[in-house]
Amino acid sequence: MNRSSFKTPASARHDGVELINAVPVRHPGRWIGAAIILIAVALVIQSLVTNTRFRWDIVRTYLFDVLIINGIGWTLILTVTSMIIAIVLAIVLAFMRQSDNPLFRYVSWVWVWFFRGTPVYTQLVFWGLVSTLYPKIILGVPFGPEWFSFDTSTLITATFGAIVGLGLNESAYLAEIFRAGLKSVDNGQMEAAEALGMRRSKVMWRIILPQAMRVIIPPTGNETIGMLKTTSLVLAIPFTLDLTFVSNTLANRTYLPIPLLIVAAIWYLVITSVLMVGQYFIEKHYGKGVDNVMKAPVKATEVAAAAHTHPMNTTNGTTEGGK
């Protein structure tokens, strides 16, 4: 078929160069979906504004109450300290799971099996009752003389039990996350580093772990946010200073549960938002060279302008696109 048989509109020609008269693809489903979402959002906003049973005046009154602020502080303390304990234990457990020593691998597996297999609420109840099971902690020779002893009720307080209970439970989940991150790095890097004479421990800390962080950080961030909300279960010990317990106490005192629940929800959302921002920057740091490599979008108008400005030589020796 002869090329001249195709009729190109005059509007599609520029300086003798044939341009494609492209028509954008229509997406009516997007507009319909956007309209449905906007209507739903409008209905929700209308309900929140017009329904007086939410008692927004009570929400404003207690949003910055001293007891609420103290509850936020204790919730953050529980979250941060528990995650520190969990991360340290998880690193050790992950390395033990990767060890050539079968005893280390078995102990790590049993730890993960036990703490993932029992509910965190049950574990916290146990930490609250540990002084009943063991009134005293005695150190000495087994079946021999005692060196010294501690009163369990004074040693394991509600704060100590809440932090340790949450940390031990979380370590089992983070251990599996860290193990998956370590396994995501190719074994050839370990072999190459050992061939250069590096110790296995140094290879882990200097080569394997920094690369594994790209895989470890996203689920660890999710676990941190989950830990923030799991602190609401420490009433099982009982620990009575966290945000959830304080807001429930104020709700029982004022007989207005809904506004106080909204206050707690607002603060959980604020803290979660801050954690998500921090997670984003940490992911960006460890994802350099991998996650941030994106192809620049092709802009048709710029490509056409470049073709018109910089002529190209064709195979038959003629020039196209030049001005």
Side-chain angles (χ1 to χ4, degrees):
M1 186 178 292
N2 191 354
R3 180 189 174 103
S4 60
S5 62
F6 290 98
K7 301 296 182 180
T8 304
S11 59
R13 289 180 174 272
H14 184 79
D15 294 337
V17 178
E18 296 183 3
L19 302 179
I20 299 176
N21 188 17
V23 178
V25 179
R26 308 301 179 185
H27 299 283
R30 296 181 182 179
W31 292 100
I32 295 173
I36 294 174
I37 292 174
L38 289 176
I39 293 173
V41 170
L43 291 175
V44 171
I45 295 175
Q46 179 188 7
S47 174
L48 293 176
V49 173
T50 59
N51 192 341
T52 58
R53 296 180 181 86
F54 284 108
R55 297 298 304 270
W56 294 107
D57 55 331
I58 303 297
V59 173
R60 288 192 297 270
T61 301
Y62 285 96
L63 189 61
F64 296 99
D65 187 80
V66 175
L67 295 176
I68 294 294
I69 299 301
N70 289 337
I72 295 170
W74 277 108
T75 298
L76 291 175
I77 290 173
L78 292 177
T79 302
V80 173
T81 53
S82 299
M83 287 302 297
I84 291 174
I85 294 174
I87 289 173
V88 173
L89 288 175
I91 293 174
V92 175
L93 291 169
F95 285 164
M96 290 173 63
R97 196 71 177 271
Q98 300 289 105
S99 174
D100 296 331
N101 190 325
L103 179 60
F104 286 173
R105 293 199 305 270
Y106 179 75
V107 170
S108 176
W109 182 87
V110 171
W111 181 285
V112 173
W113 165 78
F114 176 79
F115 284 102
R116 287 203 309 173
T118 54
V120 60
Y121 189 86
T122 303
Q123 297 174 28
L124 292 175
V125 170
F126 169 81
W127 282 103
L129 299 175
V130 67
S131 59
T132 303
L133 294 172
Y134 301 99
K136 287 187 177 182
I137 298 177
I138 302 172
L139 297 179
V141 180
F143 305 102
E146 300 177 2
W147 293 339
F148 45 86
S149 62
F150 300 97
D151 188 359
T152 307
S153 60
T154 58
L155 180 63
I156 302 179
T157 61
T159 304
F160 180 87
I163 293 174
V164 173
L166 293 173
L168 295 183
N169 177 265
E170 184 62 33
S171 66
Y173 295 91
L174 289 182
E176 291 298 283
I177 293 174
F178 288 6
R179 185 171 69 91
L182 294 175
K183 291 179 72 68
S184 67
V185 181
D186 189 79
N187 290 331
Q189 300 199 34
M190 172 71 76
E191 297 173 357
E194 290 180 341
L196 294 175
M198 297 180 65
R199 297 190 306 273
R200 188 177 181 87
S201 59
K202 189 174 183 179
V203 174
M204 277 290 185
W205 286 105
R206 294 292 184 88
I207 298 176
I208 304 300
L209 191 58
Q211 297 182 73
M213 291 297 288
R214 184 178 61 86
V215 178
I216 291 172
I217 290 298
T220 302
N222 293 337
E223 290 295 319
T224 304
I225 294 173
M227 174 64 73
L228 174 71
K229 293 174 286 186
T230 306
T231 55
S232 61
L233 299 178
V234 293
L235 58 90
I237 288 181
F239 184 87
T240 60
L241 299 175
D242 66 291
L243 177 59
T244 298
F245 192 93
V246 170
S247 60
N248 287 337
T249 301
L250 293 174
N252 295 332
R253 185 185 303 173
T254 59
Y255 299 101
L256 294 170
I258 294 178
L260 272 303
L261 288 175
I262 293 175
V263 169
I266 289 173
W267 280 114
Y268 278 119
L269 285 172
V270 170
I271 300 171
T272 300
S273 301
V274 174
L275 292 176
M276 291 177 65
V277 172
Q279 177 183 344
Y280 166 78
F281 284 105
I282 296 174
E283 289 183 17
K284 185 177 180 181
H285 172 74
Y286 284 103
K288 289 179 180 178
V290 179
D291 296 337
N292 299 330
V293 177
M294 299 178 62
K295 295 181 179 180
V298 178
K299 298 182 179 180
T301 55
E302 295 181 1
V303 173
H308 298 155
T309 305
H310 305 286
M312 296 182 298
N313 294 327
T314 60
T315 55
N316 58 8
T318 60
T319 304
E320 288 186 1
K323 287 185 179 181

